[in-house]
Amino acid sequence: MVNYIWLFFMVAGFIVAAFQGRIDLVTEAVFDGAKSGVTVCFGLISIMVFWLGMMRIAEDAGLLQKMSRLLSPVVRSLFPGVPRNHPALGYIMSNMSANIFGLGNAATPMGIKAMQELQKLNPNKDIASPAMCTLLALNTASITLIPTTLIAIRMSYNSANPAEIVGTTLLATFISTSAAIMVDRWYRSKSSPLGSGKG
């Protein structure tokens, strides 16, 4: 659906520019956008490599494992229907740990693996289970301590203080995560299949 929306915007822009006789603006915008995209990507590479390297050091030092252990009680309470030693819980904790450190690219594969494991527990394969909905909500609204990608983008545009957004990002993601959990709990309590606690 999103592809059709973007296609509509592009075609509409082209048609409006054609009627106004300003096709040159469309061409200029296309090339400027491509140039800006390449510039931002090159700027992101350095900071992403740095933070991914730091996270690899933290992982080898056991920091992510410690973070996962800290998250373990929270995860078990958020996913009551998932068996205690099921592989899905490990993937969920890894996903949440990576999101907390602002590494969305690293969190995505863990989130996909968690979804695959949760699907194995899903009695109705055509409908997302409560646990899958919870994971999606948490992954989308995750608390972020270090917004690595945003800092990298700000650095690529020569921000005077790229890291000044850390505090506001932490507050915003705390609020979004709290809201996601409250809405998830509300839906579980209102719907009998969700409220049964079987994730």
Side-chain angles (χ1 to χ4, degrees):
M1 183 64 184
V2 174
N3 293 336
Y4 292 114
I5 293 173
W6 281 111
L7 178 63
F8 168 76
F9 283 137
M10 289 187 289
V11 172
F14 182 81
I15 292 173
V16 170
F19 273 112
Q20 294 181 348
R22 300 305 305 271
I23 293 293
D24 58 307
L25 292 179
V26 175
T27 305
E28 182 180 344
V30 168
F31 285 109
D32 284 345
K35 179 181 177 182
S36 177
V38 171
T39 302
V40 170
C41 285
F42 276 116
L44 286 173
I45 288 172
S46 59
I47 189 68
M48 288 301 293
V49 167
F50 170 76
W51 279 111
L52 288 173
M54 293 295 289
M55 288 307 300
R56 183 57 186 268
I57 293 171
E59 182 179 3
D60 291 343
L63 181 61
L64 289 184
Q65 289 83 352
K66 290 178 182 177
M67 177 66 72
S68 294
R69 281 197 292 272
L70 286 173
L71 291 174
S72 180
V74 176
V75 170
R76 284 200 299 270
S77 67
L78 290 173
F79 299 87
V82 179
R84 188 180 183 88
N85 295 319
H86 196 274
L89 290 178
Y91 289 123
I92 290 169
M93 286 186 282
S94 297
N95 172 266
M96 291 176 67
S97 298
N99 274 324
I100 285 172
F101 288 106
L103 298 173
N105 293 336
T108 300
M110 295 297 103
I112 292 172
K113 292 293 291 184
M115 281 293 187
Q116 290 172 342
E117 292 296 332
L118 291 175
Q119 180 69 350
K120 295 177 183 177
L121 297 172
N122 189 4
N124 188 344
K125 304 300 183 185
D126 296 326
I127 300 174
S129 68
M132 295 170 77
C133 294
T134 301
L135 176 60
L136 182 61
L138 290 175
N139 186 65
T140 304
S142 176
I143 291 177
T144 303
L145 296 178
I146 306 171
T148 308
T149 305
L150 287 177
I151 291 174
I153 292 173
R154 288 170 60 85
M155 287 181 67
S156 69
Y157 282 102
N158 301 316
S159 171
N161 187 2
E164 69 181 349
I165 60 169
V166 170
T168 52
T169 300
L170 179 59
L171 177 62
T173 54
F174 174 79
I175 293 171
S176 65
T177 302
S178 300
I181 292 172
M182 286 189 291
V183 170
D184 179 71
R185 297 297 96 177
W186 184 80
Y187 272 110
R188 281 181 182 254
S189 66
K190 292 297 180 183
S191 175
S192 55
L194 299 179
S196 64
K198 295 187 181 292

